[in-house]
PDB file of all heavy atoms in Angstrom:
ATOM      1  N   LYS A  97     -25.254 -43.544  71.514  1.00  0.00           N
ATOM      2  CA  LYS A  97     -24.413 -43.616  70.279  1.00  0.00           C
ATOM      3  C   LYS A  97     -24.360 -44.980  69.695  1.00  0.00           C
ATOM      4  O   LYS A  97     -23.909 -45.176  68.551  1.00  0.00           O
ATOM      5  CB  LYS A  97     -23.028 -43.110  70.582  1.00  0.00           C
ATOM      6  CG  LYS A  97     -23.007 -41.648  71.112  1.00  0.00           C
ATOM      7  CD  LYS A  97     -21.594 -41.225  71.383  1.00  0.00           C
ATOM      8  CE  LYS A  97     -21.512 -39.804  71.978  1.00  0.00           C
ATOM      9  NZ  LYS A  97     -20.125 -39.359  72.269  1.00  0.00           N
ATOM     10  N   GLU A 109     -22.229 -61.189  95.413  1.00  0.00           N
ATOM     11  CA  GLU A 109     -22.733 -61.362  96.748  1.00  0.00           C
ATOM     12  C   GLU A 109     -23.591 -60.228  97.129  1.00  0.00           C
ATOM     13  O   GLU A 109     -23.287 -59.035  96.888  1.00  0.00           O
ATOM     14  CB  GLU A 109     -21.578 -61.491  97.778  1.00  0.00           C
ATOM     15  CG  GLU A 109     -20.714 -62.701  97.561  1.00  0.00           C
ATOM     16  CD  GLU A 109     -21.387 -63.890  98.162  1.00  0.00           C
ATOM     17  OE1 GLU A 109     -22.443 -63.733  98.830  1.00  0.00           O
ATOM     18  OE2 GLU A 109     -20.990 -65.061  97.934  1.00  0.00           O
ATOM     19  N   SER A 112     -21.960 -57.462  99.117  1.00  0.00           N
ATOM     20  CA  SER A 112     -20.741 -56.840  98.550  1.00  0.00           C
ATOM     21  C   SER A 112     -20.951 -55.372  98.042  1.00  0.00           C
ATOM     22  O   SER A 112     -20.040 -54.674  97.770  1.00  0.00           O
ATOM     23  CB  SER A 112     -20.257 -57.661  97.339  1.00  0.00           C
ATOM     24  OG  SER A 112     -21.187 -57.666  96.292  1.00  0.00           O
ATOM     25  N   GLN A 194     -47.779 -43.758 116.908  1.00  0.00           N
ATOM     26  CA  GLN A 194     -47.631 -43.412 118.334  1.00  0.00           C
ATOM     27  C   GLN A 194     -48.914 -43.898 119.090  1.00  0.00           C
ATOM     28  O   GLN A 194     -50.000 -43.861 118.526  1.00  0.00           O
ATOM     29  CB  GLN A 194     -47.536 -41.846 118.552  1.00  0.00           C
ATOM     30  CG  GLN A 194     -46.233 -41.284 118.054  1.00  0.00           C
ATOM     31  CD  GLN A 194     -46.083 -39.844 118.374  1.00  0.00           C
ATOM     32  OE1 GLN A 194     -47.054 -39.210 118.864  1.00  0.00           O
ATOM     33  NE2 GLN A 194     -44.914 -39.266 118.100  1.00  0.00           N
ATOM     34  N   ASP A 198     -56.189 -43.513 124.571  1.00  0.00           N
ATOM     35  CA  ASP A 198     -57.389 -44.165 124.078  1.00  0.00           C
ATOM     36  C   ASP A 198     -57.252 -44.680 122.631  1.00  0.00           C
ATOM     37  O   ASP A 198     -58.273 -44.958 122.005  1.00  0.00           O
ATOM     38  CB  ASP A 198     -58.626 -43.237 124.221  1.00  0.00           C
ATOM     39  CG  ASP A 198     -58.958 -42.878 125.633  1.00  0.00           C
ATOM     40  OD1 ASP A 198     -58.730 -43.780 126.540  1.00  0.00           O
ATOM     41  OD2 ASP A 198     -59.377 -41.796 125.916  1.00  0.00           O
ATOM     42  N   VAL A 220     -63.527 -51.761 107.680  1.00  0.00           N
ATOM     43  CA  VAL A 220     -63.265 -52.897 108.607  1.00  0.00           C
ATOM     44  C   VAL A 220     -63.908 -52.597 110.010  1.00  0.00           C
ATOM     45  O   VAL A 220     -64.228 -53.539 110.702  1.00  0.00           O
ATOM     46  CB  VAL A 220     -61.816 -53.182 108.775  1.00  0.00           C
ATOM     47  CG1 VAL A 220     -61.217 -53.725 107.489  1.00  0.00           C
ATOM     48  CG2 VAL A 220     -61.047 -51.933 109.242  1.00  0.00           C
ATOM     49  N   ASP A 290     -80.504 -61.284 119.909  1.00  0.00           N
ATOM     50  CA  ASP A 290     -81.369 -61.450 121.026  1.00  0.00           C
ATOM     51  C   ASP A 290     -81.186 -62.881 121.564  1.00  0.00           C
ATOM     52  O   ASP A 290     -81.582 -63.833 120.898  1.00  0.00           O
ATOM     53  CB  ASP A 290     -82.863 -61.194 120.673  1.00  0.00           C
ATOM     54  CG  ASP A 290     -83.776 -61.298 121.824  1.00  0.00           C
ATOM     55  OD1 ASP A 290     -83.296 -61.469 122.959  1.00  0.00           O
ATOM     56  OD2 ASP A 290     -85.009 -61.236 121.616  1.00  0.00           O
ATOM     57  N   SER A 332     -82.977 -73.249 116.089  1.00  0.00           N
ATOM     58  CA  SER A 332     -81.627 -72.952 115.888  1.00  0.00           C
ATOM     59  C   SER A 332     -81.533 -71.985 114.677  1.00  0.00           C
ATOM     60  O   SER A 332     -82.395 -71.951 113.822  1.00  0.00           O
ATOM     61  CB  SER A 332     -80.770 -74.171 115.606  1.00  0.00           C
ATOM     62  OG  SER A 332     -81.191 -74.841 114.468  1.00  0.00           O
ATOM     63  N   LEU A 457     -59.062 -65.594 120.216  1.00  0.00           N
ATOM     64  CA  LEU A 457     -58.757 -66.153 118.916  1.00  0.00           C
ATOM     65  C   LEU A 457     -58.804 -67.710 118.959  1.00  0.00           C
ATOM     66  O   LEU A 457     -59.182 -68.304 117.960  1.00  0.00           O
ATOM     67  CB  LEU A 457     -57.372 -65.665 118.473  1.00  0.00           C
ATOM     68  CG  LEU A 457     -57.204 -64.268 118.048  1.00  0.00           C
ATOM     69  CD1 LEU A 457     -55.791 -63.925 117.695  1.00  0.00           C
ATOM     70  CD2 LEU A 457     -58.142 -63.947 116.799  1.00  0.00           C
ATOM     71  N   ASP A 494     -53.203 -71.155 142.614  1.00  0.00           N
ATOM     72  CA  ASP A 494     -54.319 -71.068 141.636  1.00  0.00           C
ATOM     73  C   ASP A 494     -54.250 -72.293 140.703  1.00  0.00           C
ATOM     74  O   ASP A 494     -55.317 -72.864 140.300  1.00  0.00           O
ATOM     75  CB  ASP A 494     -54.219 -69.870 140.797  1.00  0.00           C
ATOM     76  CG  ASP A 494     -54.500 -68.584 141.681  1.00  0.00           C
ATOM     77  OD1 ASP A 494     -55.088 -68.738 142.722  1.00  0.00           O
ATOM     78  OD2 ASP A 494     -54.065 -67.496 141.247  1.00  0.00           O
ATOM     79  N   THR A 529     -33.022 -80.753 107.557  1.00  0.00           N
ATOM     80  CA  THR A 529     -32.528 -81.906 108.372  1.00  0.00           C
ATOM     81  C   THR A 529     -33.715 -82.661 109.032  1.00  0.00           C
ATOM     82  O   THR A 529     -33.685 -83.897 108.999  1.00  0.00           O
ATOM     83  CB  THR A 529     -31.551 -81.360 109.422  1.00  0.00           C
ATOM     84  OG1 THR A 529     -30.529 -80.667 108.796  1.00  0.00           O
ATOM     85  CG2 THR A 529     -30.995 -82.524 110.194  1.00  0.00           C
TER      86      THR A 529
END
Side-chain angles (χ1 to χ4, degrees):
K97 301 178 182 179
E109 292 286 348
S112 64
Q194 290 185 355
D198 295 326
V220 295
D290 183 4
S332 63
L457 286 178
D494 295 339
T529 304

